[in-house]
Every structure is written in structure tokens, then in C-alpha cells.
Amino acid sequence: MDISPNAYDTLKIPEATVVQRNLRNSLTQIPLKRPPITIGGADISLNRFSEIIYAGIVVLDYETLQPLHYALVQGKASFPYVPGYLAFREVPALIEAIQLLKEKPDVLMVDGHGIAHPRRMGIAAHLGALIDIPTMGCAKKKLYGNYEEPSPTKGDFSALLAADGERLGYVLRTKNKVKPVYISPGNHIDLADCLRIAQHCIGNYRIPEPTRRAHEFVNLFRTGKLSAGYHERPKDTLF
DNA sequence: GCGACAG
DNA sequence: ATCTTGTCGC
């Protein structure tokens, strides 16, 4: 599946909604075939009032959660930010970054929601529908759904539910007495696996390592401390 | 009409 | 998302 950098440039909300309704039919929830060896983190960064998007994918070793390689791409925000339509703004640049990777990650954690979305098409689901990699969403704020607040203890979680009771994902406490994060499947992954993976990726911060490092890298990129393109971790070194 | 509203 | 300093609590 391919997409040009400006694929969504001329779309209006009504048309974007149609795209979401169609893409939704291609989503699948299945357990991962094998335990992941690597996991990617996807995020973008912007300067205030700017149209330039700094997108990046960081691939980490699943066991150590240490970055192995990453790809950075500069793009243009041709679609406005509208809650519920985030994918149309960020996905084109993210796909470009993914294509630069020499080795694709076994699963990709995206900054935003998966199916925890009014039409089940959050950015992680949308991206997952266009690429051949299992995706999951990890958001910092709720977009859609209901849940009971998990206890203040790190590791505790509760289900994120749609109005009809459908389970959309989980609200996961990643740190004691700190706001939880919202986990949901994107595509080619199921609820149990995305929860297990998110739990495994918890480090010493609120944000799980994949998206936390992705955020860190795209910010370094935006501020000129990292350059566009594909980069590998020098052997016997750390990023 | 009112409240909610990822990044 | 980004800007931005101090401040409060563990």
C-alpha cells in the first residue's frame, strides 16, 4: 500500500470521514504471530504556527528498550488539526519515515489512539491500515470512550469502553500518582497483545519508551540537533 | 443547544 | 503540538 506525501492535501472533513469509513473495513485484530524482537515509536514535532512537520520513527530492541536505529523526515502539514482526523495530518510524513528504515519493527507504537476513536480510525489504526506492520496507539489524553479511573498505583489499568460496551483499549497507569496513558490496538494486533506490550515498554517515565524516545528524537530533529534521513546506532554506543 | 474534543 | 517559571508534593 502506497501513499504520496500530499495524498490528503485537498480533502475536506466530509471526504476524510468517507476515507475513514472505508479504511475501517480493512482493520483486523489478531494476536502477533511471534513475540516482538523490536518495537518502533512514531511521533511528529512542529514549531508553533509553522506548517513544517518533523516526523520520525525510532526502532528499539524489545528486551532492552534501547534505540537501534531511526529515520527522520521533514514534511508539510497540508491538513489542519481537527480532533478525530489527526491521521490526515501526520500519516503521510510518518509513512515516508517508515520507508527509510532498513529494518521494519515487529510492532509500531504511535503517539495517538488506535481504535479508541468515534469511527475506530485513530492515527494508529489509519497508519496500520496502510502499512504492513502491526500498530498500536498510546495517547496522553482520551478522545473517545468511557472508563473508570485506575488506582494510583503503577501498573494498574482499566478498560476503555464504547457506549455499547465494546472494549476499545485500556487506561494504563505507567507511574505512581501520575496521569495514565490510553492504549488501543491499531491494526494486526489484538487487545491483549497491545496491553502486554505497553506494560512491557514502561520505563521510568509516564510515556512508554517507544513513543517517549520518538518524541525526544523528533524534537532534536526540529531543533537542528539531528539530521533528516536514516541513522543507525554506532556499534558499542548509545543514542 | 450543550459538552467533549488525540496531536 | 509548542511556548514557558516557578511551585508544590512525593
Side-chain angles (χ1 to χ4, degrees), chain A residues 11-68:
Chain A
L11 282 189
K12 290 295 180 292
I13 297 299
E15 292 117 56
T17 306
V18 172
V19 171
Q20 292 181 326
R21 296 220 157 96
N22 289 319
L23 237 34
R24 176 176 181 173
N25 300 311
S26 64
L27 297 183
T28 310
Q29 279 187 45
I30 47 170
L32 294 183
K33 296 229 179 335
R34 48 164 92 286
I37 302 300
T38 61
I39 181 166
D43 194 17
I44 67 122
S45 180
L46 304 136
N47 278 313
R48 190 144 75 154
F49 307 132
S50 169
E51 302 251 296
I52 299 177
I53 281 184
Y54 299 85
I57 307 288
V58 182
V59 178
L60 334 191
D61 175 83
Y62 190 72
E63 284 312 312
T64 67
L65 297 179
Q66 289 308 307
L68 300 172

Side-chain angles (χ1 to χ4, degrees), chain A residues 50-162:
Chain A
S50 169
E51 302 251 296
I52 299 177
I53 281 184
Y54 299 85
I57 307 288
V58 182
V59 178
L60 334 191
D61 175 83
Y62 190 72
E63 284 312 312
T64 67
L65 297 179
Q66 289 308 307
L68 300 172
H69 53 269
Y70 63 91
L72 301 170
V73 162
Q74 191 171 314
K76 187 174 180 301
S78 49
F79 198 92
Y81 169 65
V82 180
Y85 299 86
L86 177 63
F88 296 91
R89 186 172 166 80
E90 304 191 353
V91 159
L94 287 178
I95 286 185
E96 283 198 79
I98 290 171
Q99 292 172 335
L100 286 185
L101 294 173
K102 208 180 281 183
E103 307 274 357
K104 312 308 183 205
D106 295 322
V107 57
L108 183 62
M109 183 183 284
V110 183
D111 189 345
H113 294 282
I115 62 168
H117 176 284
R119 292 168 296 285
R120 310 295 183 274
M121 283 302 296
I123 185 169
H126 192 129
L127 181 57
L130 302 179
I131 62 177
D132 191 27
I133 304 170
T135 58
M136 57 183 281
C138 176
K140 298 177 289 300
K141 293 190 297 193
K142 186 192 80 169
L143 169 65
Y144 177 80
N146 309 297
Y147 65 96
E148 293 189 344
E149 195 68 26
S151 87
T153 308
K154 172 178 178 175
D156 195 25
F157 63 89
S158 58
L160 216 206
L161 309 170

